[in-house]
Amino acid sequence: MKQIRTHNLGYPRIGAGRELKKATEQYWKGKIRLEELERTGRQLRIENWQKQEDAGIDLIPTNDFSFYDQVLDTSLLLGNIPARFGWDGAETNAETAFLVARGQSRGADDGEGCGCSAVSTYASEMTKWFDTNYHYIVPEFNEKTNFRLSSTKIFEEFHEAKELGYRAKPVLLGPVSYLALGKVHDSKRKDFDRLELLDDLVGVYEKIISLLADEGAEWIQLDEPVLALDLDEGQRRALSYSYGRLKKAAGNTKLLVATYFGPLRDNLADFLNLPVDGLHYDVVRGGEEVTELIEKFPAGKTLSLGVVDGRNIWKNDFEKSLGILLPAVEAIGVERLWIAPSCSLLHVPVTLKSEKKIESDLANWLAFADEKLDEVTTLGRVISGEVESKALEENRNAQRERLASERIHNGKVKARMSFIIPADAKRSSDFPVRQEKQREKLGLPLFPITTIGSFPQTAEVRAARAQWRKGTLSDQDYDRFLEEETRKCVEFQDSIGIDMPVHGEFERNDMVEYFGEQLEGFAFTANGWVQSYGSRCVKPPIIFGDVRRMKPMTVRWAEFAQTLTKKPLKGMLTGPVTILQWSFVRNDQPRDETTRQIALAIRDEVRDLEAAGIAAIQIDEPAIREGLPLRRADWDEYLAWAVHAFRLSSSGVKDTTQIHTHMCYSDFNDIISAVADLDADVITIETSRSNMELLDAFVDFKYPNEIGPGVYDIHSPRVPSVEEMERLLKRAAVLIPEENLWVNPDCGLKTRGWEEVRGSLINMVTATKNLRSRRKVEA
Ligand code: GLN
Ligand code: ZN
């Protein structure tokens, strides 16, 4: 049989040892020059291309590299740089990217300019890339936006790869997704529709495509992940219109449009009818739809099937993939079928090779980016008729082992799951009853003052933890150190008049990892870094098996802290949805099932805290909103199980125990009724930056329980004044029934320094006291 083609959509750019992060931060600190940073970039690109070539990938992506973010690179390519940056229209480079992303240009003082006169302004906003944990820089549009080819990056990188002999395929974000992912900013016209910009935008894309064609590109990949979202008529027309023009501009060069992250559903016909040469489809997320897709696939086009999961770290099930690929070859023909990962490999760690500590059975179930490339080419060889009996057998054995492993399947957990009844997810009494009992028990003043949990994770705290992990600080000494930090923290809160103190979270590295490390069913990598935004990388835990709590996880610190104060201390936990959302999750059972297992573990912890005399317990769920499915039609189902999981974790306590939750964002309009369904006694949220405007959702909806809208922005080192916070509080007190109003910062204080924290909290307490006494006078 003829050889089937393989390709890749994108490769992680950070480097196996996070070389890009390190070099970028060196550059920001002024320790290396731009040329040096660029050299690191070039080295990484070449290494990555070579790896893909060695794996046997036929078409290797270029322009998937970025010093900061690929969407931002697209804005630079198109010359769409917001006016406030004072860009002079010259060619853009990495410095321009840093300026837009960070609001400051470090090059300003040493001659490495970026073509922009603004040295410091507010950065462009950042938001989540679909439902991943990657964040992109949001393009800004208004009626004055115009586009002009302004970067040579895409051409240079293609050229660079070609010169070195790689079969390069330039990759870029398509025009319709680019428009959809941005936001209208600074527009003077209420009726401004960003699609008005399409014509001009496609003009620049035509230029880019035809230049790449002149350079000899055989294929160009245009990513249109909006095809996995709900599209309106305008967007559908924009897709066929844009690609009609781009196809013409491409001449003999072929265009591949890629969609990923979800099924196409009502967008299937729009996708299939795109006037291009090839289409890439995410089989992992598309699931059930693939048979229909193949049946309807138009003659003459190439189909790329993304069968290897680019979003998760599990070894591919070859039998399953071949079950899709073989009939596809049958229907479409080997010449017109390609094999690929489902999406860019940006979302998985680089290589399993550096993971020496993962137990061998678990390691044998995993595949990171490099291993995924091997999977793609192995599948390719099987399809092409090469004998791969050893690879197939090994793969089959790994799947079989995983299916049966006792490390994954815990009879006790499964039994407990089957006994969950509706009453488990319901408090014994309704909120008004609980509220009265809690008031009596806690005896808090009006406008009770609390914080979100963490206090500064100083260099000293981090150093002590690192030493303890290395074994140079004994368990006992580390414990004593933590006791001391906790004691200082609680005493401080008492001394300034915080009504509900916390222990400070000094023992925690990260709000998910800390719990994962103590739960059965979780594993941790040594080097499994994934880019989150810019130079920031995260190392998500792997949830591989049934989750079980082995022993209390936080009681020791809550109990200790409570001995230090007469005030009711608030215990701190991370919620089940957030733990799920920020981990790599097992793919052998539905996500909701895994979440319920975590919820049961948290439920046990909540009960143990209660039994230890902790009267208030906060279960943080900052990730509940970002877990929303991409399609509106799927929201209700998700929200139902997410809310249920939270309630399962929080409902096992007496009426007198006060359950708090915290979410660190402010846009609740869409999900306010689900938030109310959580039935937490108190919710703390972010609102200070919006001047309490974002309380609207809670006001319109008449949120029934108690609420603490953050009165100061912990993301900034600035110490807010008493007057400022008093003003915000007064505003909140108009919008929310006074007796339900709490006072607290926006989020945890772990990234701040003690000095700012001291100043800010003292001012916050003063503002509250002022408000309390004013109210007395009025009464
Ligand atoms: N309790 C956590 C803290 O204070 C909450 C953090 C978060 O919401 N992201 O750090
Ligand atoms: Zn927060």
Side-chain angles (χ1 to χ4, degrees):
M1 201 192 259
K2 211 176 152 285
Q3 290 269 315
I4 195 163
R5 250 181 159 182
T6 57
H7 76 122
N8 184 22
L9 279 75
Y11 187 86
R13 50 183 84 117
I14 54 174
R18 281 182 299 158
E19 291 83 356
L20 188 61
K21 170 201 179 67
K22 289 169 191 164
T24 307
E25 288 175 359
Q26 290 275 70
Y27 173 69
W28 288 342
K29 284 192 197 129
K31 297 214 172 106
I32 62 171
R33 298 181 58 82
L34 189 58
E35 294 94 83
E36 214 170 313
L37 175 62
E38 279 170 346
R39 202 169 322 124
T40 305
R42 188 154 42 239
Q43 263 163 15
L44 283 169
R45 285 196 294 274
I46 295 172
E47 257 168 50
N48 295 346
W49 293 331
Q50 188 58 42
K51 273 196 199 169
Q52 297 176 75
E53 168 141 321
D54 290 345
I57 296 289
D58 294 318
L59 278 173
I60 294 172
T62 62
N63 196 43
D64 54 339
F65 176 83
S66 177
F67 281 109
Y68 203 97
D69 159 46
Q70 73 272 8
V71 180
L72 175 56
D73 288 345
T74 313
S75 290
L76 302 194
L77 174 65
L78 301 165
N80 180 26
I81 297 168
R84 66 179 176 282
F85 296 104
W87 177 53
D88 64 1
E91 199 178 288
T92 59
N93 61 13
E95 262 291 276
T96 333
F98 297 150
L99 176 73
V100 177
R102 307 173 71 228
Q104 58 188 6
S105 139
R106 101 107 168 118
D109 48 349
D110 58 11
E112 290 174 318
C114 57
C116 300
S117 60
V119 177
S120 186
T121 176
Y122 65 98
S124 276
E125 206 179 284
M126 172 171 87
T127 196
K128 276 189 176 262
W129 175 244
F130 295 81
D131 57 354
T132 73
N133 280 326
Y134 177 82
H135 301 72
Y136 70 92
I137 300 292
V138 182
E140 296 172 25
F141 304 119
N142 58 44
E143 60 280 5
K144 290 214 185 95
T145 304
N146 57 62
F147 302 99
R148 195 160 50 78
L149 188 57
S150 300
S151 156
T152 53
K153 176 181 178 290
I154 189 169
F155 310 108
E156 275 167 18
E157 287 179 18
F158 174 66
H159 197 71
E160 191 177 53
K162 226 181 62 167
E163 288 282 284
L164 293 166
Y166 298 108
R167 295 170 299 267
K169 173 194 59 177
V171 173
L172 90 152
L173 183 61
V176 182
S177 293
Y178 178 72
L179 279 182
L181 293 172
K183 64 170 211 182
V184 174
H185 188 87
D186 268 351
S187 171
K188 302 269 174 307
R189 260 180 51 206
K190 268 221 172 76
D191 63 339
F192 171 70
D193 175 357
R194 66 187 83 183
L195 280 178
E196 293 169 23
L197 306 173
L198 186 69
D199 229 9
D200 183 32
L201 178 67
V202 174
V204 182
Y205 269 88
E206 283 174 327
K207 214 173 273 167
I208 298 163
I209 301 284
S210 77
L211 283 169
L212 287 169
D214 291 347
E215 285 270 350
E218 183 197 354
W219 281 90
I220 299 169
Q221 172 189 323
L222 290 129
D223 288 0
E224 289 289 5
V226 283
L227 281 154
L229 306 180
D230 296 316
L231 295 180
D232 60 34
E233 269 322 300
Q235 289 174 307
R236 287 176 209 279
R237 274 198 305 274
L239 276 166
S240 66
Y241 167 79
S242 307
Y243 286 94
R245 278 178 61 183
L246 296 186
K247 173 73 185 122
K248 281 199 201 99
N252 290 329
T253 294
K254 299 190 191 103
L255 301 183
L256 175 80
V257 171
T259 173
Y260 38 78
F261 298 158
L264 291 158
R265 296 187 188 163
D266 51 335
N267 302 334
L268 182 64
D270 300 273
F271 179 62
L272 293 177
N273 294 333
L274 284 174
V276 293
D277 310 276
L279 298 167
H280 169 86
Y281 180 75
D282 178 342
V283 175
V284 179
R285 287 287 179 93
E288 345 67 77
E289 211 173 52
V290 68
T291 318
E292 188 188 353
L293 174 94
I294 291 168
E295 244 165 52
K296 294 185 175 160
F297 200 75
K301 278 184 191 156
T302 294
L303 174 61
S304 158
L305 287 180
V307 287
V308 170
D309 194 349
R311 291 284 302 275
N312 215 333
I313 40 68
W314 302 104
K315 190 171 258 181
N316 189 255
D317 182 344
F318 282 171
E319 221 165 278
K320 209 170 139 205
S321 297
L322 290 169
I324 291 163
L325 290 170
L326 289 168
V329 170
E330 194 75 15
I332 292 181
V334 73
E335 301 78 17
R336 291 201 293 123
L337 197 77
W338 293 1
I339 307 177
S342 61
C343 59
S344 166
L345 298 175
L346 180 68
H347 310 290
V348 291
V350 175
T351 173
L352 257 182
K353 278 196 205 80
S354 44
E355 298 303 330
K356 306 272 184 269
K357 285 215 193 95
I358 297 189
E359 279 128 303
S360 61
D361 53 348
L362 175 56
N364 193 35
W365 302 326
L366 302 178
F368 293 175
D370 286 352
E371 292 75 28
K372 285 174 190 291
L373 293 174
D374 285 335
E375 293 180 339
V376 168
T377 53
T378 305
L379 285 167
R381 285 196 299 276
V382 174
I383 300 277
S384 303
E386 278 174 50
V387 188
E388 286 285 343
S389 41
K390 187 159 165 270
L392 289 178
E393 194 186 315
E394 275 174 12
N395 186 274
R396 196 173 307 129
N397 288 342
Q399 306 299 337
R400 205 172 289 155
E401 243 178 63
R402 189 175 159 207
L403 208 68
S405 165
E406 279 175 21
R407 295 234 292 142
I408 293 184
H409 305 282
N410 183 321
K412 282 197 198 111
V413 175
K414 295 205 194 317
R416 190 170 175 203
M417 289 279 286
S418 69
F419 284 118
I420 297 174
I421 53 168
D424 292 340
K426 204 174 173 319
R427 300 285 297 268
S428 345
S429 307
D430 289 341
F431 175 70
V433 176
R434 301 195 312 259
Q435 188 177 36
E436 215 178 292
K437 291 189 188 170
Q438 288 164 19
R439 280 201 176 134
E440 195 173 313
K441 174 163 183 199
L442 296 171
L444 295 166
L446 185 70
F447 311 130
I449 308 169
T450 191
T451 65
I452 307 304
S454 60
F455 271 74
Q457 285 269 329
T458 55
E460 213 190 335
V461 172
R462 278 180 281 133
R465 187 180 311 120
Q467 281 173 9
W468 170 66
R469 293 215 162 186
K470 254 197 265 153
T472 50
L473 187 68
S474 70
D475 289 355
Q476 216 183 17
D477 287 347
Y478 181 53
D479 200 73
R480 211 166 296 145
F481 171 82
L482 291 174
E483 280 195 353
E484 219 16 63
E485 291 300 305
T486 307
R487 181 192 314 278
K488 279 189 280 186
C489 181
V490 174
E491 280 169 5
F492 164 71
Q493 294 170 76
D494 261 354
S495 73
I496 65 166
I498 300 249
D499 304 303
M500 183 174 278
V502 295
H503 77 285
E505 303 184 19
F506 300 105
E507 77 288 6
R508 301 184 191 177
N509 35 351
D510 172 284
M511 63 184 292
V512 171
E513 196 168 275
Y514 183 75
F515 290 90
E517 280 177 340
Q518 304 189 69
L519 290 167
E520 220 170 67
F522 280 74
F524 293 85
T525 62
N527 241 314
W529 297 100
V530 179
Q531 188 179 11
S532 172
Y533 63 88
S535 71
R536 195 181 146 78
C537 302
V538 293
K539 201 153 59 79
I542 297 172
I543 307 179
F544 67 89
D546 287 340
V547 176
R548 201 170 64 95
R549 192 187 71 141
M550 292 168 282
K551 55 179 190 332
M553 303 182 282
T554 64
V555 174
R556 190 245 179 276
W557 291 111
E559 209 171 18
F560 171 71
Q562 183 64 84
T563 63
L564 305 171
T565 173
K566 294 210 169 56
K567 305 226 173 103
L569 182 109
K570 182 166 67 167
M572 283 296 144
L573 301 173
T574 303
V577 182
T578 299
I579 292 181
L580 181 95
Q581 206 53 40
W582 291 350
S583 303
F584 285 120
V585 182
R586 59 193 287 192
N587 60 352
D588 60 341
Q589 70 181 21
R591 287 168 77 82
D592 60 318
E593 219 166 299
T594 306
T595 315
R596 271 195 298 281
Q597 292 184 354
I598 306 169
L600 290 176
I602 301 294
R603 177 184 179 93
D604 294 346
E605 187 70 15
V606 171
R607 284 185 144 155
D608 281 348
L609 282 170
E610 179 183 65
I614 305 301
I617 299 158
Q618 178 170 311
I619 306 171
D620 290 323
E621 281 290 21
I624 230 170
R625 187 173 206 293
E626 69 189 51
L628 279 176
L630 298 176
R631 294 294 195 109
R632 203 71 191 213
D634 302 331
W635 280 22
D636 286 352
E637 191 197 333
Y638 160 78
L639 287 170
W641 65 251
V643 167
H644 176 262
F646 179 88
R647 292 176 58 141
L648 194 57
S649 69
S650 62
S651 298
V653 287
K654 295 189 209 113
D655 287 346
T656 44
T657 298
Q658 188 169 61
I659 297 290
H660 291 228
T661 190
H662 165 70
M663 299 177 183
C664 26
Y665 42 84
S666 40
D667 182 7
F668 286 95
N669 291 308
D670 293 340
I671 58 161
I672 184 72
S673 76
V675 170
D677 283 346
L678 296 177
D679 200 25
D681 299 304
V682 184
I683 183 173
T684 53
I685 55 165
E686 177 178 313
T687 37
S688 65
R689 269 187 288 188
S690 72
N691 221 350
M692 297 284 156
E693 267 157 37
L694 290 157
L695 270 183
D696 287 355
F698 289 83
V699 176
D700 296 344
F701 178 81
K702 291 212 182 358
Y703 182 75
N705 302 6
E706 298 182 13
I707 174 168
V711 291
Y712 91 82
D713 176 14
I714 65 93
H715 305 88
S716 150
R718 202 172 62 85
V719 174
S721 68
V722 174
E723 297 72 48
E724 202 177 324
M725 287 191 270
E726 217 181 309
R727 187 164 43 74
L728 285 172
L729 270 175
K730 269 191 223 143
R731 259 202 79 123
V734 173
L735 299 167
I736 290 169
E738 273 187 343
E739 64 283 5
N740 286 351
L741 188 60
W742 284 67
V743 180
N744 47 264
D746 250 4
C747 194
L749 303 165
K750 64 176 162 226
T751 57
R752 298 267 65 94
W754 264 107
E755 198 155 336
E756 305 135 46
V757 164
R758 242 179 245 121
S760 304
L761 291 183
I762 288 171
N763 286 357
M764 186 176 92
V765 172
T766 310
T768 312
K769 287 187 172 155
N770 288 351
L771 198 67
R772 281 179 192 153
S773 49
R774 184 146 321 148
R775 194 173 158 280
K776 260 194 218 122
V777 173
E778 282 161 14

